[in-house]
Amino acid sequence: MRRTWNTWMALCLIAAGCAPLDLTPFTPQARSRVLVEPPGTACPHGGKAIQTGLDRDGDGVLGDDEVTHTEYVCAEATAVLLRTVPLAPGAQCPEGGQVTQAGLDLNGDGVLDDTEVTREVPACTRSATVRTRTRTVLSSEVCRSAATILEVGEDVDGNGVLGTSEVQASHHFCLLNDTQRQVQVQVQPEPAGGICGRPGVRVDAFIDLNDNGQRDPDMEELITLPVCQPVRVHEGSYVVRNATDLAALRGVTRVNGDLFVNSETLSEFALPELSVVVGSLRIDTNPLLTRVDLPGLRFATTVALDRNAELTTASMGDPAGMVSVQWDLFVQHNPLLTTLDGLRALAPGGALTVLDNARLETLGFPAIIGLAKALTVEENPRLRTLSLPRLQTTGSVSLIGATALESLAGLSELRTVESLSLIGNGALTRLDGLDSLVSAGAITLDNNARLQTTAGFPQLVRAGSVTISNNALLESAGGMPLLRTVSESFTVLNNPKLRTVSGLDLLDFAHSVSVEQNPMLNDLIGFGNLMRLDRLSVRDNERLETLARLMDLRRLEFLVVTDNVNLKELRLDGLEAVEQGFTMTGNLTLPTCLARDLANRTFSGKPGNVTIAGNGDFPSACTNP
């Protein structure tokens, strides 16, 4: 029997009291939510994120997995607010400390609300060990006489000794040059409100004139030296990406890790109290940064200023003092930076690299004495002055592309270097300034468009190699009057106006000599004292007519004389042996018989290693025995 749908519904309602079934299709409702957006890529100064989507599960709340669209309402630049919360002594900070909280005042009420906090920085207060040292000087600028200098400061690197870079204060005791025992020193706490204005350390000292170990106020003057930088330490590395991150770091004097500054929004990076970065300090790729100011900096492992498109001013440390940089200092790819005067206190121990700063005009680092790795100054086309007046030794010096630099006087104390490369310095006409250089592993003088002479090495005694090449106006090569030894090669290559190689009066040893492609060259007098070479190559020197200047040469492994079209004579009268290879080709005016006579007289190697071809056919030039 068939029953209709209405019949079944009637029976249900009569027999069981059934509730009506809701057969309406389910439709998810559109919902939204508003979240606080911290400063970042979406909103440089923070703001709000308005998220929308469908409430698919019907719980009345927009869940994270239901968000399909986000719009940002960004705050305008506004004040960064700070607040500090004390940290009681405990496991995290044995001596106590504080947590600095920072954020933008999004609601404009002048109070940093909990919801506005975007960065928290814990910093532990630590009692850095204050150390002292005394040293004797025979002449003091302060006293204008002999003196004992008392120096005080914090032992930043913890090695138990006060280093030069750690000195924060000093006093000269005049006319006290041999009685250091008379300087009595006491280190004691300095309370808040005293000399420092806050807790610190002071060093009291006096000359113990009566040698009783106690100060007599009537006759013994008390000297007080304050150490006014309490150490407030942030453990671990720290990244500054915006103004809030920077504000939260204020008051920290030491970062026990790396400090990175990489911000799309910061225009200034200034931390007056920061004194130590145990790791690397890298200010890298900040497109709006114009100014860096770290006046209290005294130590960092590595410092880098790199790819800051708007940077015009950079200052670190006290210009009259020294900032110890344990390893390397990099200043590179900062197109608006014109001077490094604000960095003059920095003294890296490993490498100094100044690279591709398009407007840089001055560079001076008076505190640097030695660089274990390298001095690299490359592609700074407006650099006019280079001053490292105390630099004595370094692994290498690479001075490349300084097209406005006219003098090397700023390297006047350089004594030893493994590699010296002067390449593409278009305004350099002379090499005067390298007055103290005694030893160099390799010297390369290449493509210096206005260089006229290589004289400028008055003290050079030893070189591993010398390469003089591609210098368009060079007329005279040599100018090294004390040079005795070139342990590898001496190469003179492609200098179109070079006329002579001279000023090598003491050079008596070189591994090899190559003189090639110098069309105006007519004199090799500088090589006149050489007696033995492994290899001599004289190639394509159009105006060279004779090798008579080499008449003292006794022994060679290889002799190559080719394509010198005006070479008329050899005159290698002192040559006794060519032991492995003999090549003379393409010397159009050189009588072939002279080449054959020399080979017959000196060559002792395999016959197949003699090549004589393409020389002149002037048999009458030779007298057969």
Side-chain angles (χ1 to χ4, degrees):
M1 179 179 62
R2 295 179 60 191
R3 289 190 172 92
T4 66
W5 175 255
N6 288 336
T7 303
W8 282 111
M9 289 294 295
L11 290 173
C12 177
L13 291 172
I14 294 170
C18 296
L21 293 174
D22 184 4
L23 299 178
T24 305
F26 173 68
T27 302
Q29 299 296 305
R31 300 198 182 277
S32 65
R33 67 183 185 183
V34 180
L35 303 177
V36 174
E37 178 68 17
T41 303
C43 289
H45 304 289
K48 296 178 180 180
I50 302 173
Q51 298 177 333
T52 58
L54 295 176
D55 181 13
R56 292 190 299 270
D57 59 9
D59 66 353
V61 178
L62 184 66
D64 291 344
D65 60 342
E66 296 170 333
V67 174
T68 58
H69 182 67
T70 302
E71 290 188 3
Y72 297 96
V73 179
C74 296
E76 298 295 328
T78 186
V80 176
L81 299 181
L82 296 176
R83 68 186 183 192
T84 58
V85 179
L87 279 176
Q92 183 178 6
C93 295
E95 299 179 48
Q98 67 181 34
V99 175
T100 300
Q101 298 175 329
L104 294 173
D105 187 13
L106 298 177
N107 59 16
D109 65 355
V111 177
L112 183 64
D113 300 324
D114 290 345
T115 58
E116 295 172 330
V117 173
T118 57
R119 193 70 188 259
E120 290 188 340
V121 178
C124 300
T125 299
R126 288 192 185 163
S127 300
T129 302
V130 173
R131 300 195 182 277
T132 68
R133 71 179 189 183
T134 55
R135 58 188 180 91
T136 299
V137 294
L138 298 178
S139 177
S140 161
E141 293 180 1
V142 175
C143 301
R144 298 188 180 278
S145 67
T148 290
I149 304 175
L150 170 65
E151 297 172 325
V152 304
E154 297 168 321
D155 185 9
V156 173
D157 58 14
N159 67 351
V161 177
L162 183 66
T164 300
S165 64
E166 296 169 333
V167 174
Q168 293 176 246
S170 63
H171 181 78
H172 292 231
F173 291 97
C174 301
L175 298 174
L176 188 64
N177 64 340
D178 60 355
T179 54
Q180 293 183 24
R181 63 183 178 83
Q182 292 183 342
V183 179
Q184 299 292 332
V185 177
Q186 183 179 16
V187 180
Q188 54 191 344
E190 174 67 14
I195 297 173
C196 296
R198 59 189 178 194
V201 174
R202 76 172 191 267
V203 177
D204 292 335
F206 64 93
I207 302 176
D208 190 6
L209 298 176
N210 56 19
D211 204 21
N212 65 355
Q214 298 180 349
R215 176 174 172 260
D216 183 346
D218 294 332
M219 58 183 295
E220 296 169 345
E221 179 184 6
L222 181 66
I223 301 299
T224 297
L225 300 177
V227 182
C228 295
Q229 291 184 326
V231 176
R232 192 173 292 120
V233 178
H234 171 71
E235 289 291 348
S237 297
Y238 191 93
V239 180
V240 176
R241 298 198 183 280
N242 51 53
T244 302
D245 295 338
L246 175 59
L249 200 60
R250 289 174 186 160
V252 171
T253 62
R254 175 170 175 162
V255 175
N256 269 352
D258 299 322
L259 175 57
F260 299 106
V261 184
N262 178 225
S263 170
E264 296 288 332
T265 58
L266 275 181
S267 62
E268 293 191 354
F269 176 67
L271 289 172
E273 294 181 289
L274 182 67
S275 61
V276 175
V277 179
V278 173
S280 295
L281 170 58
R282 298 194 65 89
I283 303 172
D284 189 346
T285 314
N286 299 275
L288 301 182
L289 189 68
T290 63
R291 175 174 169 264
V292 172
D293 189 20
L294 302 173
L297 190 68
R298 292 185 290 114
F299 176 87
T301 299
T302 294
V303 174
L305 284 168
D306 192 0
R307 301 183 190 279
N308 302 291
E310 300 293 323
L311 185 65
T312 59
T313 304
S315 178
M316 297 182 186
D318 180 355
M322 187 177 81
V323 179
S324 177
V325 179
Q326 184 176 4
W327 292 115
D328 305 331
L329 169 60
F330 300 94
V331 183
Q332 49 196 22
H333 313 302
N334 303 288
L336 300 186
L337 197 61
T338 61
T339 177
L340 302 186
D341 285 353
L343 305 179
R344 60 186 289 110
L346 272 62
L352 170 61
T353 300
V354 182
L355 171 66
D356 185 27
N357 303 284
R359 297 190 183 181
L360 185 67
E361 296 183 1
T362 62
L363 181 161
F365 290 92
I368 298 177
I369 296 175
L371 292 168
K373 293 192 286 186
L375 168 64
T376 303
V377 181
E378 296 186 8
E379 305 306 328
N380 303 286
R382 296 191 184 182
L383 185 66
R384 296 182 295 102
T385 61
L386 170 73
S387 179
L388 289 95
R390 301 177 65 196
L391 179 64
Q392 296 182 13
T393 181
T394 181
S396 67
V397 172
S398 179
L399 182 56
I400 299 176
T403 54
L405 186 68
E406 297 182 355
S407 172
L408 301 178
L411 298 173
S412 60
E413 292 300 313
L414 185 64
R415 294 182 56 82
T416 62
V417 62
E418 285 303 311
S419 173
L420 173 63
S421 298
L422 305 177
I423 301 173
N425 305 296
L428 203 61
T429 60
R430 301 180 61 86
L431 302 181
D432 297 342
L434 298 169
D435 299 343
S436 299
L437 189 64
V438 173
S439 175
I443 297 174
T444 300
L445 310 174
D446 181 72
N447 195 30
N448 300 288
R450 296 181 61 191
L451 188 66
Q452 297 176 13
T453 174
T454 64
F457 298 89
Q459 302 297 322
L460 185 67
V461 173
R462 185 199 71 84
S465 65
V466 177
T467 301
I468 303 171
S469 57
N470 305 303
N471 301 288
L473 299 183
L474 185 68
E475 295 185 358
S476 174
M480 306 170 187
L482 299 185
L483 181 65
R484 301 189 65 93
T485 300
V486 176
S487 57
E488 297 178 18
S489 62
F490 199 123
T491 301
V492 183
L493 172 67
N494 191 31
N495 301 283
K497 293 195 174 183
L498 182 67
R499 296 180 179 278
T500 181
V501 178
S502 60
L504 301 170
D505 300 342
L506 298 183
L507 181 63
D508 58 13
F509 177 82
H511 183 271
S512 67
V513 170
S514 295
V515 183
E516 302 183 359
Q517 300 176 28
N518 304 285
M520 304 293 289
L521 182 66
N522 56 34
D523 196 348
L524 299 178
I525 188 174
F527 298 125
N529 288 328
L530 290 172
M531 298 185 67
R532 174 165 184 149
L533 294 170
D534 276 14
R535 182 183 183 91
L536 173 64
S537 176
V538 182
R539 184 193 304 268
D540 195 13
N541 302 288
E542 182 176 342
R543 294 202 178 180
L544 189 65
E545 296 184 0
T546 179
L547 301 184
R549 295 292 193 179
L550 304 176
M551 65 175 58
D552 288 339
L553 194 59
R554 296 290 183 266
R555 304 185 74 84
L556 288 168
E557 297 290 324
F558 297 90
L559 174 62
V560 178
V561 181
T562 66
D563 300 316
N564 303 284
V565 296
N566 285 303
L567 186 66
K568 296 178 174 60
E569 60 181 9
L570 295 174
R571 297 282 300 275
L572 296 174
D573 300 339
L575 189 61
E576 298 171 354
V578 178
E579 298 173 356
Q580 295 193 48
F582 188 107
T583 301
M584 256 179 219
T585 62
N587 305 290
L588 300 181
T589 58
L590 178 69
T592 297
C593 60
L594 293 180
R596 293 197 180 280
D597 284 351
L598 183 64
N600 292 336
R601 180 170 61 83
T602 63
F603 186 68
S604 59
K606 296 179 180 179
N609 291 339
V610 174
T611 302
I612 299 174
N615 303 297
D617 185 15
F618 308 105
S620 62
C622 300
T623 302
N624 295 321

